Amino acid sequence: MTKLSFIASEARRHLGRMPEQALMALQRALINLCENHWLDIRGPEPASGLARAIWTVNPHCADLVVDLYGCSEPKLTEAIGYLPPTKALAALVLAEIERGDAEGARLAYEAMMLFESPQARDIHTDSVRSRLRGIKTEHGRWHKHAHHDPLFRAVAMISEQIGRSDFQAMIVAIEYLAAIQASPVTRVDDQEALQILEFLRDMDLVFQRVEEGRIHYTVRGESKKPISGKRLEEMLAQIRGNP
């Protein structure tokens, strides 16, 4: 993955000579705007288990800024003024680094770079807006990762089903699925969860638990080396890069 030091330098290059006070004010405005925007668009608490679990996890601000841009939200214009979206995203990169959120910083950096091209910007914006609203493509795309190992394929499939590719949402989803797999008699009335569980059964992959940031799982009854949080972040970054 791209080093945070390089990401930070690129963000500062995009920002130019913005005064530090102005930068801090912009960062605060963007973070507050994103938090309120998620409350507006996520809707009422879902009835089904997996969707309800994901509902509690805020997406990264980078996706929410992209969504605000895509819906031409006046509040975004008020927050950034005359600045182009690339500079707003650059400010967000630095804010996420300061908050210790490496994944959030990388997502903001990815969006910042994509927004330099009108075509890439529009494709990315449409993709983010669809995901945040649970709109899926007609044909699943997880099969593009069929050459990977079972865990990677499972993560890609789960990401597509839940409409999220961020670390915390994936951890919540895996913990939810692990609890069901540990108790097969549990009744599941969630169609998304059922599809994922069927996929996991076909691969004979069982999530056992998430412990100290590591995912423990078995394939065909054989325990595999637990996957670290860093490795999961790398998988998700690769999945985002191959829509």
Side-chain angles (χ1 to χ4, degrees), residues 6 8 13-14 32 60 64 69 74 77 83-84 100 104 109 131 135-136 140 145 169-170 176 178 188 196 203 218 243:
F6 175 79
R13 181 177 67 81
H14 275 74
N32 289 336
H60 285 291
L64 292 167
Y69 172 83
T77 304
L83 293 174
Y109 169 72
R131 281 194 288 104
I135 301 170
K136 298 182 177 64
H145 305 283
M170 183 59 62
Y176 178 85
V188 181
I196 296 170
M203 290 199 301
T218 65

Side-chain angles (χ1 to χ4, degrees), residues 71-183:
C71 61
S72 301
E73 173 56 56
K75 291 179 182 177
L76 178 63
T77 304
E78 292 174 14
I80 69 176
Y82 63 89
L83 293 174
T86 50
K87 287 201 173 186
L89 288 162
L92 191 56
V93 167
L94 298 178
E96 297 291 42
I97 290 175
E98 289 171 9
R99 298 202 298 180
D101 189 341
E103 184 183 49
R106 289 190 171 93
L107 280 169
Y109 169 72
E110 289 169 13
M112 180 185 78
M113 300 305 292
L114 289 168
F115 265 56
E116 290 188 329
S117 161
Q119 183 179 11
R121 176 198 63 205
D122 293 345
I123 292 171
H124 182 61
T125 300
D126 288 345
S127 174
V128 168
R129 298 198 71 218
S130 295
R131 281 194 288 104
L132 289 179
R133 287 160 178 76
I135 301 170
K136 298 182 177 64
T137 56
E138 185 176 349
H139 302 290
R141 294 177 177 179
W142 60 265
H143 65 272
K144 290 188 175 183
H145 305 283
H147 59 289
H148 285 287
D149 62 70
L151 180 64
F152 193 108
R153 281 181 278 161
V155 170
M157 196 272 185
I158 295 167
S159 175
E160 182 165 300
Q161 287 297 313
I162 66 175
R164 299 280 290 272
S165 59
D166 52 297
F167 176 83
Q168 193 55 47
M170 183 59 62
I171 288 293
V172 168
I174 289 174
E175 288 177 331
Y176 178 85
L177 295 165
I180 294 175
Q181 289 184 307
S183 180

Side-chain angles (χ1 to χ4, degrees), residues 25-35 61 65 68 76 79-80 87-89 91-92:
L26 174 60
Q27 290 170 330
R28 285 195 300 270
L30 286 171
I31 291 170
N32 289 336
L33 180 59
C34 289
E35 289 174 351
C61 285
V65 166
L68 284 159
L76 178 63
I80 69 176
K87 287 201 173 186
L89 288 162
L92 191 56

